[in-house]
Amino acid sequence: MITFEGVTKQYPDGTVAVDDLHLTVPTGNTTVLVGSSGSGKTTALRMINRMVEPTGGRITIDGQDVRGQDPPVLRRSIGYVIQQAGLFPHRTVADNIATVPRLLGWSKSRARTRAHELLELVGLEPEHARRYPHQLSGGQQQRVGVARALAADPPVLLMDEPFSAVDPVVRAGLQDELLRLQAELHKTIVFVTHDIDEAVKLGDSIAVLRPGGRLAQVATPERLLAEPADDFVESFVGYDRGVRRLSFFPARHLRLRTDVIVTADQTAGEAGALARRLGEPWLLVVDAGRRPLGWVSADALDAAEGRRRLDSLELVGYGHVFTVSTDSLRAALDAAVLSPAGRAVGVADDGTVRGAVAQTELGAAIWSVGGDDEPPARDRAAAAGGAHE
Ligand SMILES: Nc1ncnc2c1ncn2[C@@H]1O[C@H](COP(=O)(O)OP(=O)(O)OP(=O)(O)O)[C@@H](O)[C@H]1O
């Protein structure tokens, strides 16, 4: 556990970068520091490994005041990842990763073995080991940066905007990798970002700093989106926080309709009768393997000759589907909003249709989530997944 106990940093020019910060970072959790530019995030982070010294208060790691520890020794027990990886340009990837193990006196061969293990852990190929940083993409360099920080298996990892220099797709991939690694390694991570979506995706808790280095709120992502403490936090998390909060509610509790499903070999007459009986404007057509083909409207069925098979009619695209077991209400809502029929198709893990849900029915489910309820369970996969493409 890391604690900030009334920590203040005033730089010599008088700037107060961090002001009386009280914060607990639980062991094995990811705590994300967010805030506008200049709100003291980097300063707070760097005080943990004594790259910056506080001018007031104290920081402890597992009860030990960091000031009682020799900075170089302290830093070897704390992994540090920064923007653009900060790799040594004239050292190979393997040598970059082996930096701390070598400083700790590991033999060359042990450090090299460890470097190869870590390359695999962060999803890079063994042949990357001999390359130099400039021979890697930005995303690959960030992976090496993470591998280097993890090399000596430090219990604590400090990450200062580690993914902000890469494009959004690579960034999302790196975030997923970090979630995967953290599920395995359970490091105590302090992660700095400007990006509230990144914070919501990665954080077990989020600390929002306001200008002047004061803590505005610390809460779980769900709580922060549900109940911002004040106008500053509310504007920081964004006014679409209600929709984003749906990421924490799994779609598997949705009641899906199966009565609106028809198969491609049925006739327009049969389907039209069904649509009339149900009073439904749309039916979902699936193939023999129960994969979605598209929507057919009641009007189109009425207009079609009764004996025509449904697969000979022009169907309306079903847009993208959501996976019932892993996706969130947000993904289901997104699928319904983007669907020309106003309905989302929920599928099983194997892609077969489980059922459909209309925007209005989703509205009822979202309503029952309410403003104040805790999500049924923290569903990181759903929260991280967003819309299923
Ligand atoms: N060495 C320094 N000397 C004087 N002032 C500094 C120094 N380092 C940072 N500051 C100031 O302290 C404040 C906090 O800076 P810090 O870098 O911690 O903020 P930040 O939230 O990480 O910002 P950003 O998101 O832009 O990286 C800013 O006003 C900054 O200008």
Side-chain angles (χ1 to χ4, degrees), residues 11-13 15-17 35-44 161 192 194:
Y11 284 108
D13 66 358
T15 306
V16 177
S36 43
S37 185
S39 57
K41 305 179 294 293
T42 295
T43 301
E161 306 230 21
V192 164
H194 279 101

Side-chain angles (χ1 to χ4, degrees), residues 34 37 40 49 78 95 123 130 144 154 164-165 188 192 194 205 239 289 298 335 387:
V34 291
S37 185
N49 67 0
I78 299 178
D95 288 344
R130 277 196 296 275
V144 176
S164 54
T188 305
V192 164
H194 279 101
S205 72
Y239 294 107

Side-chain angles (χ1 to χ4, degrees), residues 246-267:
L246 294 177
S247 299
F248 293 100
F249 294 88
R252 61 177 173 269
H253 302 301
L254 281 172
R255 204 170 303 146
L256 300 178
R257 291 189 62 168
T258 52
D259 54 349
V260 293
I261 300 173
V262 284
T263 51
D265 58 358
Q266 286 181 267
T267 64

Side-chain angles (χ1 to χ4, degrees), residues 12 40 97 137 167 181 203 206 279 335 373 377:
I97 297 173
S137 71
D167 71 60
L181 279 176
I206 299 176
D373 296 349

